[in-house]
């Protein structure tokens, strides 16, 4: 938002190997995590943005003149007669360009008027339950969780819950969030695969370096469906590499059932995005540029390149973990692996000079590198690279170099 001067300053910063510190605001709720709960998402009835938007206030920073609310989840507690709304990511802040990260009361939500919670039954809204007081919460009060009580004596209340769809609406701008009957979500939403032409892969590296199957969970109005449900879904995949010219949606699997393991062709490296839709619903947008990333089901898969044979650099290429021979020099590991990270993360060289052969020919540093790139360290903050995008063949090459230095 600061124009060409900002880009010039960043370029100069990188020329001098400077650091680019920034603040990021994290917002959430600390709550019990029960056995059986998902790792990555709060379950519930899912409210997604409609085509209705609200205008951006004058003087505020945003990527356009209008914006939609973020999605929310909702649960009905019939024991205590409560409706609980998780609006952590739903409501926009009135950001005016001045932000002190050490304060929590100077970045208020944008107040665009009253909002209310209601339920639609056959397209009609027979009842509004309460106002959503998003604009009067102080200091991110209650983590943007809203609790609404209801009277169980309301006529046909349970039928409304069972047959209707919840919504959050504005008198001025219409319905802004509306429940979608099927909440489709995965606990393996960011995983890694290995390139292997002519094959498909069905297990992927997730959060701890152990290959696991990937699948979608499906909830219908808050109730989890099993593989024996009558509904089926279609899986579509986008090739999202390169970002400036991604591929179109391609049908991957028909009649998919919740919890079923997913298999993906891994012929070429790059990124793939898998999404799911009800079999009777229209397919997702053909163009990835129109895909609703903020609320649609996503499994993002990074296929790591394994397109080079490094066997000539090993004493015994058939060994479970080969050791480097005389051909495996620093120039080889720099050109094949380290140079990418040296170019992508110039500030890192202030601490670790990836282009210095003397630095990495030291046995102590070789042991450190060997540890940090191992799959045992995959789930730890010390793992290298931080992006985890180190393919098996390149990990083996670096490991062979480390073993050569250590043993030598």
């Amino acid at each position: 938002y600061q124009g060409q001067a900002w880009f010039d300053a960043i370029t100069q910063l990188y020329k001098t190997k400077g650091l680019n510190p920034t603040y990021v605001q994290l917002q959430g709720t600390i709550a019990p995590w029960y056995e059986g709960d998902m790792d990555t998402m709060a379950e519930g009835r899912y409210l997604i943005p409609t085509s209705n938007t609200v205008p951006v206030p004058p003087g505020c920073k945003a990527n356009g003149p209008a914006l939609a609310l973020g999605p929310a989840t909702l649960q009905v507690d019939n024991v205590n007669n409560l409706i609980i709304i998780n609006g952590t990511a739903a409501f926009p802040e009135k950001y005016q360009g001045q932000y002190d990260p050490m304060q929590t009361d100077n970045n208020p939500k944008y107040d665009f008027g009253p909002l209310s919670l209601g339920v639609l039954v056959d397209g009609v809204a027979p009842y509004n339950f309460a106002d959503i007081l998003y604009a009067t919460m102080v200091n991110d009060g209650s983590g943007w969780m809203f609790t609404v009580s209801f009277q169980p004596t309301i006529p046909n209340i349970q039928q409304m819950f069972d047959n209707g769809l919840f919504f959050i609406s504005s008198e001025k701008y219409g319905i802004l969030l509306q429940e979608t009957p099927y909440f489709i979500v995965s606990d393996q939403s960011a995983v890694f695969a290995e390139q292997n032409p002519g094959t498909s892969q069905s297990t992927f590296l997730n959060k701890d370096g152990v290959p696991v199957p990937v699948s979608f969970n499906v909830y219908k109005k808050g109730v989890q469906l099993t593989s024996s449900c009558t509904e089926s879904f279609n899986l579509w995949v986008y090739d999202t590499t390169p970002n400036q010219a991604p591929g179109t949606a391609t049908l991957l699997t028909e009649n998919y059932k919740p919890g079923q393991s997913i298999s993906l062709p891994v012929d070429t490296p790059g990124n793939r995005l898998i999404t799911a839709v009800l079999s009777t619903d229209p397919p997702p947008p053909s163009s990835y540029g129109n895909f609703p990333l903020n609320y649609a089901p996503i499994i993002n898969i990074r296929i790591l390149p394994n397109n080079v044979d490094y066997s000539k650099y090993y004493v015994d290429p058939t060994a479970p973990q080969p050791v480097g021979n005389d051909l495996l020099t620093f120039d080889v590991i720099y050109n094949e692996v380290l140079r990418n990270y040296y170019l992508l993360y110039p500030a890192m060289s202030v601490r670790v000079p990836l282009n210095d052969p003397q630095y990495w020919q030291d046995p102590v540093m070789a042991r450190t590198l060997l540890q940090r790139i191992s799959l045992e360290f995959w789930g730890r903050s010390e793992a290298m690279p931080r992006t985890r995008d180190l393919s098996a063949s390149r990990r083996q090459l670096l490991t062979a170099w480390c073993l050569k230095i250590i043993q030598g």
Side-chain angles (χ1 to χ4, degrees), residues 242-284:
N243 278 337
Q244 67 270 23
T248 57
T250 302
L251 183 63
L252 178 66
T253 304
E254 289 187 285
N255 299 318
Y256 175 83
K257 292 292 185 177
Q260 179 182 333
S261 177
I262 298 172
S263 181
L264 178 74
V266 289
D267 298 88
T268 58
N271 294 327
R272 308 289 187 273
L273 186 149
I274 300 174
T275 191
V277 296
L278 192 67
S279 296
T280 55
D281 284 353

Side-chain angles (χ1 to χ4, degrees), residues 154-282:
I154 297 172
N156 302 317
I157 183 69
Q158 201 57 53
Q159 287 86 344
M160 281 195 283
F161 291 160
D162 293 342
N163 302 324
L165 299 173
F166 284 97
F167 66 88
I168 293 176
S169 67
S170 157
E171 290 185 2
K172 186 173 184 179
Y173 303 110
I175 294 178
L176 298 173
L177 293 178
Q178 181 167 322
E179 181 181 0
T180 178
Y182 295 95
F183 177 32
I184 309 171
V185 64
S186 175
D187 261 344
Q188 303 86 33
S189 55
V191 295
F192 293 79
E194 299 284 344
Q195 180 189 7
N196 191 359
T199 67
S200 291
Q201 191 165 324
S202 57
T203 59
F204 306 83
L205 291 178
N206 190 13
K207 60 185 179 181
D208 57 7
V210 177
V212 296
V214 302
S215 61
F216 281 111
N217 290 346
V218 181
Y219 298 82
K220 185 176 182 180
K221 295 188 177 179
V223 178
Q224 186 169 3
L225 300 183
T226 67
S227 58
S228 61
C229 66
T230 57
E231 294 93 339
S232 63
F233 301 82
N234 290 338
L235 303 185
W236 295 79
V237 61
Y238 295 89
D239 183 345
T240 60
T241 308
N243 278 337
Q244 67 270 23
T248 57
T250 302
L251 183 63
L252 178 66
T253 304
E254 289 187 285
N255 299 318
Y256 175 83
K257 292 292 185 177
Q260 179 182 333
S261 177
I262 298 172
S263 181
L264 178 74
V266 289
D267 298 88
T268 58
N271 294 327
R272 308 289 187 273
L273 186 149
I274 300 174
T275 191
V277 296
L278 192 67
S279 296
T280 55
D281 284 353

